[in-house]
Amino acid sequence: MFDLSPDEWTALQLSLRIALVATTGALPVGVGIAWLLARRNFWGKSLLDALVHLPLVLPPVVTGFLLLIMLGKRGMIGAPLEHYFGIVFSFRWTGAALACGVMGFPLMVRAIRLSIEAVDRRLEQAAATLGAHPATVFFTVTLPLSLPGILAGMILSFAKAMGEFGATITFVSNIPGETQTIPSAIYTLTQVPDGEAGALRLTAVSIALSMGALLLSEMLARRLGRRLAGG
């Protein structure tokens, strides 16, 4: 019952790789935008905040279709990328990682932003009055104190990437061994005779990974928070 077939193992390994690449690729941008939203006032801030959170309220298929229009081989961005640099995202696993990164980005930014907003500004001001450069203040004061939120945001984004379906299947299709992740593999198994057992196995794996990610996020965030408070 719980012995995964070779195709199911491939889908699991591909899902893990895509989720890892999506999370690590989105992290630097996520930290930067979270800091802007938490610490700076500028024209268009509300618009930026809305754009960041738009994937949460848009149907995932719409997000995937927009990615296909922009980054497909004939897209306004995808065509020049392929022509000049040979970079192709559509119907590739890298495109799946991009789609998953976009879908998990709002969760990452929100967690990091809340963590940065919780940092006492007086600590940053004290470092600045001692002559520290703004970049030094960020990397030595703000960033370390924001680590619980950063960690939680990363794990939530990773879990979201593991379960993403609509945007990825629209942007990169459902190609076994290339773009077929756990959700798309489950969808495929439900469409074929005698596929229920395989779908159930992958469903159990998906639930276990998601619950594990959420519990790990909570545990590590609490432990790191206590360490920072005690240090």
Side-chain angles (χ1 to χ4, degrees), residues 14 19 24 39 44 70 75 83 91 97 108 111 132 143-144 169 195 211-212 218 228:
L14 186 60
T24 54
R39 286 291 188 257
M70 292 187 295
H83 180 75
F91 308 108
M108 176 185 290
L143 196 62
I169 201 170
M211 285 296 296
E218 183 69 17
L228 291 173

Side-chain angles (χ1 to χ4, degrees), residues 198-209:
L200 183 59
R201 286 194 294 268
L202 289 179
T203 298
V205 170
S206 182
I207 292 173
L209 289 173

Side-chain angles (χ1 to χ4, degrees), residues 3-115:
D3 290 334
L4 299 182
S5 68
D7 289 341
E8 292 163 5
W9 272 113
T10 299
L12 173 59
Q13 294 166 1
L14 186 60
S15 295
L16 291 170
R17 179 171 61 168
I18 287 173
L20 181 61
V21 171
T23 303
T24 54
L27 181 60
V29 181
V31 171
I33 291 182
W35 179 82
L36 280 176
L37 294 174
R39 286 291 188 257
R40 289 290 182 267
N41 292 314
F42 52 91
W43 185 90
K45 180 177 178 179
S46 297
L47 178 61
L48 176 61
D49 190 31
L51 288 174
V52 167
H53 290 88
L54 194 59
L56 284 180
V57 295
L58 278 179
V61 173
V62 173
T63 302
F65 181 63
L66 292 174
L67 289 173
L68 187 62
I69 292 175
M70 292 187 295
L71 294 170
K73 290 187 175 183
R74 297 182 180 180
M76 61 183 72
I77 300 175
L81 283 177
E82 182 183 15
H83 180 75
Y84 293 107
F85 304 104
I87 299 175
V88 178
F89 286 108
S90 58
F91 308 108
R92 305 285 177 87
W93 76 267
T94 49
L98 178 62
C100 289
V102 170
M103 295 302 296
F105 193 69
L107 299 175
M108 176 185 290
V109 170
R110 181 168 180 79
I112 298 174
R113 177 184 179 179
L114 292 175
S115 188

Side-chain angles (χ1 to χ4, degrees), residues 142-164:
T142 309
L143 196 62
L145 293 176
S146 303
L147 279 180
I150 294 173
L151 182 63
M154 289 179 63
I155 296 178
L156 287 174
S157 179
F158 181 87
K160 174 64 175 175
M162 287 292 297
E164 175 50 39

